[in-house]
Protein backbone atom coordinates (compact mmCIF):
# COMPACT_ATOMS: atom_id res chain seq x y z
CA UNK A 1 0.00 0.00 0.00
CA UNK A 2 1.17 3.52 -0.74
CA UNK A 3 3.77 2.76 -3.40
CA UNK A 4 3.52 4.00 -6.97
CA UNK A 5 6.31 2.74 -9.17
CA UNK A 6 7.12 5.08 -12.04
CA UNK A 7 8.68 3.49 -15.07
CA UNK A 8 11.20 5.56 -17.00
CA UNK A 9 9.12 7.75 -19.31
CA UNK A 10 11.85 10.08 -20.53
CA UNK A 11 10.94 13.76 -20.54
CA UNK A 12 7.38 13.25 -21.75
CA UNK A 13 5.02 11.74 -19.19
CA UNK A 14 1.31 11.40 -19.84
CA UNK A 15 -0.71 9.34 -17.39
CA UNK A 16 -2.71 6.65 -19.15
CA UNK A 17 -5.64 4.49 -18.02
CA UNK A 18 -3.36 1.48 -18.22
CA UNK A 19 -0.74 3.04 -15.92
CA UNK A 20 -3.38 4.13 -13.39
CA UNK A 21 -5.05 0.71 -13.41
CA UNK A 22 -1.68 -0.89 -12.72
CA UNK A 23 -1.04 1.46 -9.80
CA UNK A 24 -4.52 1.25 -8.25
CA UNK A 25 -4.16 -2.14 -6.50
CA UNK A 26 -1.28 -0.69 -4.43
CA UNK A 27 -3.40 2.21 -3.24
CA UNK A 28 -5.50 2.29 -0.08
CA UNK A 29 -9.26 1.74 -0.66
CA UNK A 30 -9.99 5.33 0.41
CA UNK A 31 -7.76 6.54 -2.45
CA UNK A 32 -9.26 4.08 -4.92
CA UNK A 33 -12.73 5.26 -3.93
CA UNK A 34 -11.84 8.68 -5.31
CA UNK A 35 -9.77 7.69 -8.37
CA UNK A 36 -10.66 4.21 -9.65
CA UNK A 37 -13.06 5.75 -12.20
CA UNK A 38 -10.80 8.64 -13.34
CA UNK A 39 -10.49 7.26 -16.87
CA UNK A 40 -14.05 6.08 -17.46
CA UNK A 41 -15.00 9.22 -19.33
CA UNK A 42 -12.74 11.40 -21.48
CA UNK A 43 -14.55 14.50 -20.16
CA UNK A 44 -12.25 16.72 -18.09
CA UNK A 45 -14.71 17.56 -15.30
CA UNK A 46 -13.36 16.53 -11.89
CA UNK A 47 -16.84 15.69 -10.59
CA UNK A 48 -18.85 13.11 -12.55
CA UNK A 49 -21.44 14.38 -15.00
CA UNK A 50 -25.10 13.57 -14.57
CA UNK A 51 -26.36 11.92 -17.77
CA UNK A 52 -30.02 11.33 -18.38
CA UNK A 53 -29.71 10.07 -21.98
CA UNK A 54 -31.65 6.96 -22.90
CA UNK A 55 -30.05 6.43 -26.33
CA UNK A 56 -26.56 7.07 -27.73
CA UNK A 57 -25.50 8.12 -31.24
CA UNK A 58 -23.81 5.40 -33.29
CA UNK A 59 -20.45 5.94 -34.99
CA UNK A 60 -20.74 8.43 -37.88
CA UNK A 61 -18.52 6.36 -40.18
CA UNK A 62 -20.52 3.36 -41.45
CA UNK A 63 -17.24 1.41 -41.62
CA UNK A 64 -17.15 1.57 -37.83
CA UNK A 65 -20.64 0.15 -37.25
CA UNK A 66 -20.66 -3.22 -35.45
CA UNK A 67 -24.11 -4.71 -34.69
CA UNK A 68 -25.07 -4.50 -31.00
CA UNK A 69 -21.83 -2.68 -30.18
CA UNK A 70 -21.22 1.02 -30.02
CA UNK A 71 -17.63 1.19 -28.82
CA UNK A 72 -16.20 4.66 -28.49
CA UNK A 73 -12.44 4.16 -28.96
CA UNK A 74 -11.77 7.12 -26.63
CA UNK A 75 -13.90 5.70 -23.83
CA UNK A 76 -14.34 1.92 -23.98
CA UNK A 77 -15.95 1.89 -20.50
CA UNK A 78 -18.30 4.70 -21.43
CA UNK A 79 -19.77 3.24 -24.61
CA UNK A 80 -23.51 2.73 -24.66
CA UNK A 81 -26.43 1.87 -26.93
CA UNK A 82 -29.57 2.18 -24.83
CA UNK A 83 -29.82 2.87 -21.11
CA UNK A 84 -31.73 -0.32 -20.33
CA UNK A 85 -28.50 -2.10 -21.40
CA UNK A 86 -25.89 0.18 -19.81
CA UNK A 87 -25.76 3.88 -18.95
CA UNK A 88 -22.93 6.31 -18.14
CA UNK A 89 -23.60 6.88 -14.43
CA UNK A 90 -24.35 3.31 -13.38
CA UNK A 91 -21.46 2.00 -15.51
CA UNK A 92 -19.06 4.45 -13.86
CA UNK A 93 -20.33 3.37 -10.45
CA UNK A 94 -19.70 -0.27 -11.40
CA UNK A 95 -16.09 0.54 -12.34
CA UNK A 96 -15.57 2.33 -9.04
CA UNK A 97 -17.20 -0.40 -6.96
CA UNK A 98 -15.20 -3.10 -8.75
CA UNK A 99 -12.11 -1.58 -7.22
CA UNK A 100 -13.65 -1.43 -3.73
CA UNK A 101 -15.45 -4.78 -3.71
CA UNK A 102 -12.57 -6.80 -5.19
CA UNK A 103 -14.55 -8.39 -8.03
CA UNK A 104 -16.67 -7.56 -11.08
CA UNK A 105 -19.81 -5.64 -10.10
CA UNK A 106 -23.21 -5.34 -11.73
CA UNK A 107 -25.73 -2.85 -10.37
CA UNK A 108 -29.51 -3.13 -10.06
CA UNK A 109 -32.43 -0.90 -9.23
CA UNK A 110 -32.68 -2.32 -5.66
CA UNK A 111 -31.09 -4.87 -3.38
CA UNK A 112 -34.04 -7.18 -3.94
CA UNK A 113 -33.76 -7.00 -7.72
CA UNK A 114 -30.07 -7.97 -7.31
CA UNK A 115 -31.11 -10.94 -5.14
CA UNK A 116 -33.77 -11.90 -7.71
CA UNK A 117 -31.23 -11.74 -10.55
CA UNK A 118 -28.81 -13.93 -8.59
CA UNK A 119 -31.37 -16.64 -7.86
CA UNK A 120 -32.72 -16.81 -11.41
CA UNK A 121 -29.17 -16.95 -12.79
CA UNK A 122 -28.27 -19.98 -10.67
CA UNK A 123 -31.83 -21.39 -10.78
CA UNK A 124 -31.32 -24.00 -8.04
CA UNK A 125 -33.76 -26.71 -7.02
CA UNK A 126 -33.14 -25.80 -3.36
CA UNK A 127 -31.94 -22.76 -1.50
CA UNK A 128 -30.71 -23.01 2.08
CA UNK A 129 -31.45 -19.75 3.82
CA UNK A 130 -32.08 -19.04 7.46
CA UNK A 131 -33.63 -15.94 8.96
CA UNK A 132 -32.53 -12.60 7.65
CA UNK A 133 -34.17 -9.92 5.59
CA UNK A 134 -37.81 -10.83 5.08
CA UNK A 135 -37.84 -9.26 1.60
CA UNK A 136 -35.47 -11.92 0.26
CA UNK A 137 -37.96 -14.54 1.46
CA UNK A 138 -40.66 -12.61 -0.40
CA UNK A 139 -38.63 -12.83 -3.64
CA UNK A 140 -38.18 -16.59 -3.13
CA UNK A 141 -41.93 -17.03 -2.64
CA UNK A 142 -42.48 -15.44 -6.07
CA UNK A 143 -39.81 -17.61 -7.72
CA UNK A 144 -41.38 -20.64 -6.04
CA UNK A 145 -44.56 -20.00 -8.07
CA UNK A 146 -42.55 -20.23 -11.28
CA UNK A 147 -40.00 -22.95 -10.60
CA UNK A 148 -41.06 -24.72 -7.42
CA UNK A 149 -37.75 -23.82 -5.75
CA UNK A 150 -37.59 -25.29 -2.24
CA UNK A 151 -36.65 -23.06 0.68
CA UNK A 152 -34.77 -24.82 3.49
CA UNK A 153 -33.09 -23.81 6.72
CA UNK A 154 -29.34 -23.24 6.90
CA UNK A 155 -29.25 -25.96 9.55
CA UNK A 156 -30.29 -28.41 6.79
CA UNK A 157 -27.27 -27.76 4.51
CA UNK A 158 -26.33 -31.42 4.61
CA UNK A 159 -29.26 -32.04 2.26
CA UNK A 160 -27.70 -29.82 -0.45
CA UNK A 161 -26.92 -31.33 -3.86
CA UNK A 162 -24.78 -29.91 -6.68
CA UNK A 163 -26.21 -26.69 -8.09
CA UNK A 164 -28.14 -25.71 -4.94
CA UNK A 165 -27.58 -22.37 -3.22
CA UNK A 166 -26.38 -21.89 0.35
CA UNK A 167 -27.32 -18.26 1.01
CA UNK A 168 -25.85 -16.65 4.10
CA UNK A 169 -26.77 -13.20 5.29
CA UNK A 170 -24.03 -11.85 7.52
CA UNK A 171 -24.21 -9.84 9.67
CA UNK A 172 -27.82 -10.73 10.02
CA UNK A 173 -30.81 -8.40 9.73
CA UNK A 174 -32.10 -7.24 12.19
CA UNK A 175 -29.86 -8.48 15.01
CA UNK A 176 -26.39 -7.63 13.63
CA UNK A 177 -25.01 -11.08 14.54
CA UNK A 178 -22.29 -12.55 12.31
CA UNK A 179 -22.18 -16.03 10.82
CA UNK A 180 -19.14 -18.16 10.07
CA UNK A 181 -18.64 -18.05 6.28
CA UNK A 182 -15.72 -20.49 6.37
CA UNK A 183 -18.11 -23.12 7.75
CA UNK A 184 -20.65 -22.57 4.96
CA UNK A 185 -17.90 -22.45 2.30
CA UNK A 186 -16.69 -25.85 3.44
CA UNK A 187 -20.27 -27.21 3.30
CA UNK A 188 -20.84 -25.74 -0.17
CA UNK A 189 -17.63 -27.30 -1.47
CA UNK A 190 -18.48 -30.68 0.07
CA UNK A 191 -21.95 -30.67 -1.53
CA UNK A 192 -21.12 -28.98 -4.87
CA UNK A 193 -23.44 -26.10 -3.97
CA UNK A 194 -22.89 -22.38 -4.53
CA UNK A 195 -22.22 -20.04 -1.63
CA UNK A 196 -23.96 -16.70 -1.98
CA UNK A 197 -23.68 -14.01 0.69
CA UNK A 198 -25.84 -11.01 1.50
CA UNK A 199 -23.17 -8.68 2.91
CA UNK A 200 -25.36 -5.58 3.06
CA UNK A 201 -24.69 -5.02 6.78
CA UNK A 202 -20.90 -4.95 6.43
CA UNK A 203 -19.40 -3.83 3.13
CA UNK A 204 -15.61 -3.61 2.69
CA UNK A 205 -13.50 -2.68 4.56
CA UNK A 206 -15.43 -4.44 7.35
CA UNK A 207 -15.53 -7.83 5.60
CA UNK A 208 -15.15 -9.23 2.11
CA UNK A 209 -16.90 -12.57 1.57
CA UNK A 210 -15.08 -13.04 -1.77
CA UNK A 211 -11.90 -13.55 0.26
CA UNK A 212 -13.71 -16.34 2.10
CA UNK A 213 -14.74 -18.12 -1.07
CA UNK A 214 -18.22 -16.74 -1.81
CA UNK A 215 -19.35 -17.31 -5.40
CA UNK A 216 -21.57 -14.23 -5.44
CA UNK A 217 -21.86 -11.41 -2.92
CA UNK A 218 -24.94 -9.22 -2.94
CA UNK A 219 -25.52 -5.87 -1.31
CA UNK A 220 -28.46 -3.61 -0.92
CA UNK A 221 -26.49 -0.57 -2.11
CA UNK A 222 -29.39 1.45 -0.78
CA UNK A 223 -27.63 1.19 2.60
CA UNK A 224 -23.88 1.85 2.79
CA UNK A 225 -23.05 2.53 -0.86
CA UNK A 226 -25.75 5.21 -1.00
CA UNK A 227 -25.20 6.13 2.64
CA UNK A 228 -27.48 9.18 2.69
CA UNK A 229 -30.98 7.65 2.77
CA UNK A 230 -31.77 9.05 -0.66
CA UNK A 231 -31.29 6.34 -3.29
CA UNK A 232 -32.21 2.73 -4.03
CA UNK A 233 -29.58 0.41 -5.47
CA UNK A 234 -28.50 -3.22 -5.46
CA UNK A 235 -25.35 -4.93 -6.53
CA UNK A 236 -23.83 -8.31 -7.20
CA UNK A 237 -20.10 -8.93 -6.93
CA UNK A 238 -18.76 -12.03 -8.66
CA UNK A 239 -15.87 -14.33 -7.82
CA UNK A 240 -13.30 -14.46 -10.64
CA UNK A 241 -14.12 -18.12 -11.36
CA UNK A 242 -17.77 -17.24 -11.97
CA UNK A 243 -16.83 -14.41 -14.32
CA UNK A 244 -14.70 -16.86 -16.29
CA UNK A 245 -17.72 -19.15 -16.44
CA UNK A 246 -19.68 -16.38 -18.18
CA UNK A 247 -21.95 -15.34 -15.27
CA UNK A 248 -21.33 -11.61 -15.70
CA UNK A 249 -22.35 -11.75 -19.37
CA UNK A 250 -25.50 -13.70 -18.57
CA UNK A 251 -26.41 -11.30 -15.75
CA UNK A 252 -26.01 -8.37 -18.16
CA UNK A 253 -28.26 -10.04 -20.73
CA UNK A 254 -30.86 -10.94 -18.09
CA UNK A 255 -30.86 -7.40 -16.68
CA UNK A 256 -31.29 -6.01 -20.17
CA UNK A 257 -34.52 -7.97 -20.62
CA UNK A 258 -35.87 -7.85 -17.08
CA UNK A 259 -35.12 -4.13 -17.05
CA UNK A 260 -34.03 -3.90 -13.40
CA UNK A 261 -31.38 -1.22 -14.06
CA UNK A 262 -30.53 1.62 -11.68
CA UNK A 263 -31.79 5.03 -12.60
CA UNK A 264 -29.20 7.48 -13.93
CA UNK A 265 -29.72 9.88 -11.05
CA UNK A 266 -29.15 7.05 -8.56
CA UNK A 267 -25.97 6.11 -10.46
CA UNK A 268 -24.74 9.67 -10.09
CA UNK A 269 -25.63 9.81 -6.40
CA UNK A 270 -23.96 6.42 -5.97
CA UNK A 271 -20.61 7.64 -7.33
CA UNK A 272 -20.68 10.70 -5.10
CA UNK A 273 -21.53 8.53 -2.09
CA UNK A 274 -19.13 5.64 -2.74
CA UNK A 275 -16.24 8.13 -2.55
CA UNK A 276 -16.79 8.36 1.22
CA UNK A 277 -18.08 4.85 1.94
CA UNK A 278 -14.87 3.76 3.68
CA UNK A 279 -14.81 6.79 5.96
CA UNK A 280 -18.48 6.52 6.88
CA UNK A 281 -18.59 2.79 7.42
CA UNK A 282 -15.48 2.64 9.61
CA UNK A 283 -16.79 5.39 11.85
CA UNK A 284 -20.31 3.95 11.98
CA UNK A 285 -19.00 0.49 12.86
CA UNK A 286 -16.75 1.90 15.58
CA UNK A 287 -19.66 3.83 17.08
CA UNK A 288 -21.87 0.71 17.02
CA UNK A 289 -19.26 -1.36 18.80
CA UNK A 290 -18.77 1.31 21.48
CA UNK A 291 -22.51 1.75 22.02
CA UNK A 292 -23.23 -1.99 22.11
CA UNK A 293 -20.41 -2.54 24.60
CA UNK A 294 -21.53 0.37 26.79
CA UNK A 295 -25.14 -0.90 26.81
CA UNK A 296 -23.96 -4.39 27.64
CA UNK A 297 -21.97 -3.06 30.63
CA UNK A 298 -24.97 -1.07 31.82
CA UNK A 299 -27.12 -4.22 31.87
CA UNK A 300 -25.19 -5.55 34.82
CA UNK A 301 -25.49 -2.29 36.81
CA UNK A 302 -28.64 -2.57 38.96
CA UNK A 303 -28.88 1.23 39.27
CA UNK A 304 -28.78 1.85 35.53
CA UNK A 305 -31.99 2.68 33.66
CA UNK A 306 -30.66 0.54 30.78
CA UNK A 307 -31.09 -2.73 32.67
CA UNK A 308 -34.59 -1.70 33.78
CA UNK A 309 -35.67 -1.35 30.14
CA UNK A 310 -33.50 -3.86 28.27
CA UNK A 311 -33.03 -7.58 28.66
CA UNK A 312 -30.15 -7.97 26.19
CA UNK A 313 -28.07 -6.50 23.39
CA UNK A 314 -27.03 -8.33 20.21
CA UNK A 315 -24.13 -7.46 17.94
CA UNK A 316 -21.29 -9.35 16.28
CA UNK A 317 -18.85 -7.61 18.64
CA UNK A 318 -20.60 -9.31 21.59
CA UNK A 319 -20.27 -12.88 20.21
CA UNK A 320 -17.74 -13.82 22.87
CA UNK A 321 -17.29 -17.49 21.97
CA UNK A 322 -16.83 -16.73 18.28
CA UNK A 323 -14.29 -14.04 19.09
CA UNK A 324 -12.39 -16.42 21.35
CA UNK A 325 -12.57 -19.08 18.69
CA UNK A 326 -10.86 -16.65 16.30
CA UNK A 327 -12.95 -16.91 13.12
CA UNK A 328 -14.99 -13.77 13.73
CA UNK A 329 -12.10 -11.34 13.97
CA UNK A 330 -10.52 -12.99 10.92
CA UNK A 331 -13.69 -12.66 8.84
CA UNK A 332 -14.51 -9.13 9.94
CA UNK A 333 -11.08 -7.52 10.09
CA UNK A 334 -12.38 -3.96 9.66
CA UNK A 335 -15.07 -3.93 12.38
CA UNK A 336 -18.34 -5.61 13.24
CA UNK A 337 -20.95 -3.60 11.38
CA UNK A 338 -22.90 -0.45 12.24
CA UNK A 339 -26.18 -2.19 13.15
CA UNK A 340 -27.10 -3.92 16.39
CA UNK A 341 -30.28 -4.79 18.20
CA UNK A 342 -31.61 -4.23 21.69
CA UNK A 343 -34.38 -6.19 23.35
CA UNK A 344 -36.77 -4.63 25.83
CA UNK A 345 -38.29 -6.68 28.67
CA UNK A 346 -41.63 -5.17 27.82
CA UNK A 347 -42.98 -4.78 24.24
CA UNK A 348 -44.72 -1.54 25.29
CA UNK A 349 -41.33 -0.04 26.17
CA UNK A 350 -39.94 -1.13 22.80
CA UNK A 351 -42.86 0.53 21.04
CA UNK A 352 -42.43 3.83 22.89
CA UNK A 353 -38.65 4.21 23.23
CA UNK A 354 -37.85 5.55 19.71
CA UNK A 355 -40.34 8.40 20.17
CA UNK A 356 -38.30 9.64 23.17
CA UNK A 357 -35.14 10.26 21.11
CA UNK A 358 -33.68 13.59 20.02
CA UNK A 359 -30.96 12.37 17.63
CA UNK A 360 -32.01 8.83 16.67
CA UNK A 361 -34.75 8.90 14.06
CA UNK A 362 -37.63 6.45 14.20
CA UNK A 363 -37.54 5.01 10.69
CA UNK A 364 -36.73 1.83 8.85
CA UNK A 365 -33.65 1.12 6.71
CA UNK A 366 -30.03 1.60 7.73
CA UNK A 367 -26.66 2.67 6.41
CA UNK A 368 -27.38 6.39 6.20
CA UNK A 369 -25.43 9.15 7.93
CA UNK A 370 -28.38 9.57 10.34
CA UNK A 371 -28.68 7.23 13.32
CA UNK A 372 -31.96 5.30 13.46
CA UNK A 373 -33.73 3.29 16.11
CA UNK A 374 -36.62 1.26 14.72
CA UNK A 375 -39.29 -0.66 16.59
CA UNK A 376 -38.80 -3.42 14.07
CA UNK A 377 -42.41 -4.60 14.08
CA UNK A 378 -43.22 -1.42 12.11
CA UNK A 379 -41.67 -2.84 8.92
CA UNK A 380 -41.68 -6.55 9.72
CA UNK A 381 -44.89 -7.54 11.47
CA UNK A 382 -43.52 -11.04 12.09
CA UNK A 383 -40.63 -9.73 14.17
CA UNK A 384 -40.54 -10.08 17.98
CA UNK A 385 -42.34 -7.04 19.43
CA UNK A 386 -39.57 -6.49 21.99
CA UNK A 387 -36.86 -5.89 19.40
CA UNK A 388 -35.47 -2.49 18.44
CA UNK A 389 -32.95 -2.22 15.60
CA UNK A 390 -30.26 0.42 15.99
CA UNK A 391 -28.40 1.73 12.94
CA UNK A 392 -25.50 4.03 13.81
CA UNK A 393 -24.93 7.09 11.68
CA UNK A 394 -21.96 9.43 11.71
CA UNK A 395 -22.98 11.63 14.64
CA UNK A 396 -20.67 11.98 17.66
CA UNK A 397 -20.64 8.91 19.92
CA UNK A 398 -21.11 10.93 23.14
CA UNK A 399 -24.23 12.59 21.72
CA UNK A 400 -25.70 9.23 20.73
CA UNK A 401 -24.96 7.80 24.17
CA UNK A 402 -26.50 10.82 25.88
CA UNK A 403 -29.57 10.53 23.66
CA UNK A 404 -30.07 6.86 24.58
CA UNK A 405 -29.61 7.58 28.27
CA UNK A 406 -32.11 10.44 28.35
CA UNK A 407 -34.55 8.34 26.27
CA UNK A 408 -34.43 5.45 28.76
CA UNK A 409 -34.81 7.80 31.74
CA UNK A 410 -37.71 9.66 30.19
CA UNK A 411 -39.45 6.38 29.32
CA UNK A 412 -39.06 5.02 32.85
CA UNK A 413 -40.31 8.28 34.34
CA UNK A 414 -43.59 7.97 32.45
CA UNK A 415 -44.01 4.20 31.94
CA UNK A 416 -42.30 2.22 34.68
C1 LIG B 1 -29.91 -7.52 4.45
C2 LIG B 1 -30.74 -6.88 3.39
N1 LIG B 1 -30.77 -7.43 2.17
C3 LIG B 1 -31.52 -6.91 1.17
C4 LIG B 1 -32.30 -5.78 1.39
C5 LIG B 1 -33.15 -5.25 0.28
O1 LIG B 1 -32.61 -4.07 -0.22
P1 LIG B 1 -33.45 -2.99 -1.05
O2 LIG B 1 -34.36 -2.33 -0.09
O3 LIG B 1 -32.39 -2.10 -1.62
O4 LIG B 1 -34.18 -3.74 -2.10
C6 LIG B 1 -32.31 -5.19 2.64
C7 LIG B 1 -33.16 -4.00 2.92
O5 LIG B 1 -33.31 -3.58 4.04
C8 LIG B 1 -31.51 -5.74 3.67
O6 LIG B 1 -31.47 -5.22 4.91
Amino acid sequence: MGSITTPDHGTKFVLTAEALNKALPNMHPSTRAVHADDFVTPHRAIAPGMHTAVNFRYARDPEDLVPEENKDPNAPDDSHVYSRYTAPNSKRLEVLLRSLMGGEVITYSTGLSAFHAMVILINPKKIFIGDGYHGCHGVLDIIQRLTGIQKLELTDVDQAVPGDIIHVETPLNPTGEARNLAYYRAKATEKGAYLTVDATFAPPPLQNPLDLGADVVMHSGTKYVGGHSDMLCGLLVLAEERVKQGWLKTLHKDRQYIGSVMGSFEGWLGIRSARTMQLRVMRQAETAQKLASWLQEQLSDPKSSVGKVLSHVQHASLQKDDLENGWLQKQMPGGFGPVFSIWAHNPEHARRLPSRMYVFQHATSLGGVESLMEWRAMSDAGCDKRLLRVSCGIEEFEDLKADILQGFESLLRDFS
Side-chain angles (χ1 to χ4, degrees):
M1 204 88 21
S3 83
I4 301 177
T5 47
T6 319
D8 186 6
H9 300 282
T11 50
K12 186 163 165 53
F13 173 67
V14 180
L15 182 66
T16 59
E18 201 190 350
L20 179 68
N21 285 337
K22 238 169 141 179
L24 278 170
N26 289 327
M27 296 183 190
H28 189 272
S30 55
T31 310
R32 283 188 265 131
V34 184
H35 294 290
D37 58 321
D38 276 357
F39 275 90
V40 171
T41 165
H43 199 289
R44 293 182 184 193
I46 292 291
M50 164 66 208
H51 299 274
T52 52
V54 160
N55 46 357
F56 299 82
R57 189 181 297 117
Y58 296 134
R60 293 195 191 271
D61 183 345
E63 296 298 324
D64 292 337
L65 294 176
V66 180
E68 292 195 17
E69 248 194 50
N70 194 22
K71 275 262 177 292
D72 177 346
N74 295 318
D77 272 338
D78 201 14
S79 305
H80 312 280
V81 170
Y82 184 61
S83 65
R84 181 161 42 74
Y85 306 178
T86 61
N89 293 99
S90 49
K91 177 67 198 183
R92 188 164 174 171
L93 177 62
E94 285 165 359
V95 171
L96 179 57
L97 290 176
R98 178 173 68 197
S99 182
L100 300 181
M101 299 288 178
E104 292 292 342
V105 169
I106 175 165
T107 54
Y108 290 88
S109 54
T110 65
L112 285 188
S113 55
F115 178 74
H116 176 248
M118 180 176 81
V119 179
I120 58 176
L121 169 87
I122 300 175
N123 193 18
K125 297 241 177 328
K126 291 189 286 239
I127 182 165
F128 296 83
I129 180 171
D131 317 324
Y133 184 55
H134 60 99
C136 294
H137 289 267
V139 170
L140 291 174
D141 293 344
I142 295 170
I143 296 178
Q144 199 164 46
R145 280 192 239 141
L146 304 173
T147 70
I149 189 176
Q150 260 184 289
K151 216 166 52 163
L152 288 111
E153 291 297 323
L154 272 174
T155 43
D156 296 330
V157 281
D158 281 324
Q159 294 175 33
V161 298
D164 284 347
I165 292 182
I166 298 175
H167 180 75
V168 182
E169 187 179 303
T170 186
L172 197 62
N173 190 357
T175 59
E177 298 159 275
R179 283 162 160 171
N180 185 349
L181 288 178
Y183 170 80
Y184 291 105
R185 176 64 265 172
K187 282 285 172 199
T189 304
E190 184 190 321
K191 301 290 172 186
Y194 295 109
L195 175 67
T196 65
V197 178
D198 184 338
T200 298
F201 271 42
L206 305 180
Q207 66 172 2
N208 195 344
L210 283 187
D211 296 342
L212 299 157
D215 292 291
V216 187
V217 182
M218 64 152 287
H219 289 265
S220 164
T222 308
K223 316 303 181 199
Y224 294 100
V225 174
H228 296 75
S229 315
D230 56 6
M231 58 172 274
L232 288 168
C233 151
L235 40 126
L236 296 180
V237 193
L238 300 185
E240 211 178 324
E241 247 341 270
R242 301 302 154 220
V243 176
K244 283 191 198 141
Q245 207 181 322
W247 283 20
L248 187 65
K249 277 204 185 101
T250 310
L251 285 169
H252 269 285
K253 270 276 176 236
D254 289 355
R255 188 184 67 174
Q256 179 171 322
Y257 296 124
I258 291 173
S260 48
V261 285
M262 285 181 80
S264 288
F265 182 52
E266 282 73 14
W268 181 84
L269 282 171
I271 300 164
R272 188 214 49 187
S273 301
R275 302 256 190 259
T276 58
M277 183 171 77
Q278 308 276 322
L279 302 176
R280 287 183 277 108
V281 163
M282 293 297 276
R283 178 177 167 107
Q284 288 168 283
E286 190 189 331
T287 301
Q289 186 170 348
K290 281 177 10 194
L291 276 180
S293 149
W294 167 71
L295 285 165
Q296 175 88 346
E297 271 166 37
Q298 295 288 303
L299 286 182
S300 50
D301 177 354
K303 288 200 291 289
S304 164
S305 54
V306 174
K308 291 181 188 136
V309 178
L310 297 187
S311 62
H312 60 286
V313 183
Q314 265 179 311
H315 186 230
S317 67
L318 301 175
Q319 288 173 223
K320 236 173 129 226
D321 292 349
D322 298 324
L323 284 166
E324 270 163 25
N325 176 293
W327 68 261
L328 183 49
Q329 186 80 53
K330 214 154 90 202
Q331 294 186 20
M332 301 196 76
F336 300 103
V339 176
F340 64 93
S341 59
I342 52 181
W343 295 73
H345 296 288
N346 175 348
E348 261 318 287
H349 277 170
R351 179 193 181 96
R352 292 176 185 281
L353 182 63
S355 308
R356 299 273 157 164
M357 297 290 162
Y358 283 57
V359 180
F360 284 91
Q361 306 291 302
H362 193 195
T364 195
S365 200
L366 56 120
V369 291
E370 314 83 4
S371 291
L372 310 174
M373 181 183 286
E374 181 190 23
W375 182 43
R376 190 61 186 152
M378 286 299 291
S379 57
D380 179 3
C383 184
D384 192 303
K385 304 282 185 291
R386 294 166 300 174
L387 189 146
L388 291 147
R389 189 178 73 180
V390 180
S391 164
C392 295
I394 60 166
E395 303 94 335
E396 179 58 40
F397 166 71
E398 290 297 339
D399 291 330
L400 295 174
K401 190 172 135 189
D403 197 25
I404 292 181
L405 209 50
Q406 71 73 31
F408 279 50
E409 279 162 7
S410 130
L411 187 73
L412 285 172
R413 209 167 39 236
D414 298 335
F415 299 95
S416 46

